[in-house]
Amino acid sequence: MAPSATTYGTSPASEAAAAQHKNEQDVDLTGQALEHKMAEIAKSKNGSSTPSTKAELDASKLIYELTTSPRPVPASIEAACAGTETICTDHMVTVAWDAETGWATPELRPYGPLSLMPTASVLHYATECFEGLKVYRGADDKLRLFRPDCNAQRMLTSAVRISLPAFPPVELEKLIVALMAVDGPKWLPRGGGPDEYLYLRPTMIGTQPQLGVQAPRSALLYITASYMPRLDVVKGGMRLHTSPEDMVRAWVGGFGYAKVGANYGPSLQATIEARARGFHQILWLYGPEGYCTEAGASNFFVVLKDKETGQTQLVTAPLDDRLILDGVTRRSIVQLARERLAGEVEVVERRYTIAELQDAHKEGRIVESFAAGTAYFVAPVSLVHHRGEDIPIPMATETGGKYTKLVKSWISNIMYGQESHPWGVVIEERE
Amino acid sequence: MAPSATTYGTSPASEAAAAQHKNEQDVDLTGQALEHKMAEIAKSKNGSSTPSTKAELDASKLIYELTTSPRPVPASIEAACAGTETICTDHMVTVAWDAETGWATPELRPYGPLSLMPTASVLHYATECFEGLKVYRGADDKLRLFRPDCNAQRMLTSAVRISLPAFPPVELEKLIVALMAVDGPKWLPRGGGPDEYLYLRPTMIGTQPQLGVQAPRSALLYITASYMPRLDVVKGGMRLHTSPEDMVRAWVGGFGYAKVGANYGPSLQATIEARARGFHQILWLYGPEGYCTEAGASNFFVVLKDKETGQTQLVTAPLDDRLILDGVTRRSIVQLARERLAGEVEVVERRYTIAELQDAHKEGRIVESFAAGTAYFVAPVSLVHHRGEDIPIPMATETGGKYTKLVKSWISNIMYGQESHPWGVVIEERE
């Protein structure tokens, strides 16, 4: 029984997985049963299951309540990010959900505080998930999102994992577009420079004001737009500290693949300590083998020469053990590099250990490395520190090595419209 | 660097652990470094480190703002718990914390909604922890807490684990007492019957309105008092379903021992499915060996006859791998059973597997079983279902076996004042 009996979408692969699981006992109790659930959601979209009587998330019903006290636009991203509070735009989108009635009418309304009862589910049981994506003011002065369908789909995956309601991902995408259509012209003005962006944060929280460990019967989906500092230009490159043996970020059978709050709070302690020692992020290792998984909250890539063949490889951790986030930037890099570096660089998604990196360093086979994600974009890595030993990583220039800069430029060109590509989704602005 | 440089208390054992760790590399990055941190907090209480300039949590400064619209007391616990919203008493205690200034003045004020910015840390990164304890109206009409010092100490442990500020546990205890001194007389009236209790929920949340994965620089500690249904009388006993192989609650190096939101939300999916099949809770197994850890959010006990010696043993999972919650009820049962059943029952904290339980069942060695925690109190278990196979567990009576009822009566007698014991802490009521 899903927390919501509503509808919609997933990858086709999961249908096969679900069919297979139907023949096994306890199917709905397994972690993979979430794929089963997602497949059912997808099927109901195609009309093969009985329609729900509950209201579905419907962006076309969006009500606009525009602010009467517009706020000043900061002079620069740096000014906007100097304080201890995130500066948001004039508006946010909110949609309430209730287990009995389904999704309420979406509202675009003035940005401001939320009112939550002290007993609200999210404040006790971490019934929360989110997404992060950016909107870019292009070289052609158009506003673009980068693959928002990927974020919307992942938000659904995260929501199901944390027992929050399902929704049609495309409706979330439309709500994101609606918010930027209103706030884009003022907060990301035309002619504002090629690097300007805003950070969008779709969030869902369990709001039911009842104590007791149970799936919330009410929830709130909301979307904010704000400033976020540039993190991709780290002087001298990012320095990573491996996680200690007795502190684990995610584990097989857990929820490392979902963008749920429970992946973040518990990781702060190690990150605080690493920063206090002059490192930027933790490189999270997994298991006694020390598999490299994620760098902070970003995906981690290494370019190296294969030990046997000498072939240049772009290596990153695989998705299939569900330990790491299926990053949109990660996925895009893998796809583009396979297309555009074919014959030159082999793109490999596989498990690899910190010992392999140490070996590669000793043998001079590490070419370069970078972290990739929405917040960090593509940020060069210059050092990994592991158990008292440094693994220095070459940086051809202050802004990274050849491949780091190459993949970054490909994606940046799509984001800012220098390259016309289906991944760059143009927003029609309301003015 | 702790998120707060404030003060206070932990167990003496951690000092030795900390001293040992000082000689090891990367001490502050290890999971056990939290013990180091706790030891430093304890040391600063003894005046051996420099005093902080930030305000400390100080219950003696409590400001009383009493309600002007008192609310009606429900007719019964059943009536109070019939809806989808937890009914709280007239007041709550709130204390704000800020990284620059420390703890603000505690306030006892009318119960009502909290105002949080949509960007608040707790809503995205699960920077939250809580406690659960009850206040009892005794047979002698006195109000009592049960070992509130244990809850306050554990709240500090959880707060440090999730990068929320430290505080002197005794001050939290005083604030709990202050709330019940005001709301106790009305909401848990004298002569209200021997089983009456309220549920107290100290909670701390990260309130800093800034996106980005970092320790919050502002937080809110609050305490509510509410009704919670009786969960210890399950008709026919509790039926548990083991967790599937590919879904894990907690793991070594994680945070299973802390009462942080991140332990709860991700467990809901399996629990929902188990309930839909007529089970009450998940029995969480760990590792390929299938170690029994927790039953739902309660500790799990089995009474069995030892395979070799025939000795009756009360067995429960150990604390030392930090997978399970250090339950106050668990700890109390272990302590009392060691004192009061010496020579009759051996109390054993050790790892044990589901296969061992299956063997014990086949050999007729299972005597009884129960789950223990603040919410479930001591609830008899009548069945464990594992991979398609039932392990039935004897229940001498509808309310459990001999030892289940015995340990329950011991603790109940302390809670309700039939036995005078230092664990029962009497509250002086304000009237």
Side-chain angles (χ1 to χ4, degrees), chain A residues 171-328:
Chain A
E171 299 301 316
L172 172 58
E173 207 181 323
K174 287 178 194 163
L175 291 173
I176 292 168
V177 167
L179 177 60
M180 287 325 303
V182 171
D183 278 356
K186 169 176 167 184
W187 293 83
L188 208 53
R190 292 193 172 84
D195 273 356
E196 302 292 339
Y197 60 84
L198 288 171
Y199 179 78
L200 300 167
R201 174 62 65 103
T203 309
M204 205 192 317
I205 59 176
T207 53
Q208 187 185 0
Q210 189 170 46
L211 300 178
V213 182
Q214 60 192 351
R217 296 181 58 80
S218 59
L220 184 74
L221 169 68
Y222 62 90
I223 309 166
T224 61
S226 59
Y227 292 99
M228 174 169 279
R230 288 202 63 164
L231 299 170
D232 59 321
V233 188
V234 176
K235 196 173 156 63
M238 282 176 81
R239 292 181 297 281
L240 307 179
H241 195 299
T242 56
S243 55
E245 276 176 82
D246 67 346
M247 196 171 265
V248 181
R249 188 196 85 97
W251 64 107
V252 173
F255 41 89
Y257 66 90
K259 220 163 166 66
V260 296
N263 278 324
Y264 296 87
S267 77
L268 293 174
Q269 204 57 44
T271 308
I272 289 166
E273 295 294 346
R275 288 193 179 151
R277 291 152 183 249
F279 296 91
H280 296 95
Q281 287 290 348
I282 295 282
L283 176 59
W284 291 99
L285 304 182
Y286 184 72
E289 301 87 352
Y291 290 115
C292 300
T293 64
E294 291 196 354
S298 305
N299 293 118
F300 180 65
F301 286 80
V302 183
V303 182
L304 39 72
K305 300 278 186 190
D306 184 70
K307 195 180 178 89
E308 309 300 325
T309 63
Q311 165 75 51
T312 303
Q313 294 182 327
L314 175 62
V315 181
T316 197
L319 300 177
D320 50 17
D321 51 17
R322 298 161 76 96
L323 278 175
I324 67 162
L325 195 70
D326 178 6
V328 179

Side-chain angles (χ1 to χ4, degrees), chain B residues 197-319:
Chain B
Y197 60 83
L198 289 170
Y199 179 78
L200 301 167
R201 175 60 65 102
T203 308
M204 205 190 321
I205 59 176
T207 53
Q208 187 185 0
Q210 188 169 46
L211 299 178
V213 182
Q214 62 193 349
R217 296 181 59 79
S218 59
L220 183 74
L221 169 67
Y222 62 90
I223 309 167
T224 61
S226 60
Y227 292 98
M228 172 169 280
R230 288 201 63 163
L231 299 170
D232 59 321
V233 187
V234 176
K235 198 174 155 59
M238 283 177 81
R239 292 180 298 280
L240 306 179
H241 195 301
T242 56
S243 56
E245 277 175 84
D246 67 345
M247 196 170 267
V248 180
R249 189 196 85 96
W251 66 107
V252 173
F255 40 88
Y257 67 89
K259 221 163 166 62
V260 296
N263 278 323
Y264 296 88
S267 77
L268 292 174
Q269 204 59 44
T271 308
I272 290 166
E273 294 295 346
R275 288 194 180 152
R277 292 154 182 247
F279 297 91
H280 297 95
Q281 287 290 348
I282 296 281
L283 176 60
W284 292 99
L285 304 182
Y286 183 74
E289 301 87 352
Y291 291 114
C292 300
T293 63
E294 292 197 352
S298 306
N299 294 116
F300 180 64
F301 287 79
V302 184
V303 182
L304 40 72
K305 299 278 185 190
D306 185 68
K307 196 181 178 92
E308 309 301 324
T309 63
Q311 165 76 50
T312 304
Q313 294 182 328
L314 175 63
V315 181
T316 197
L319 300 176

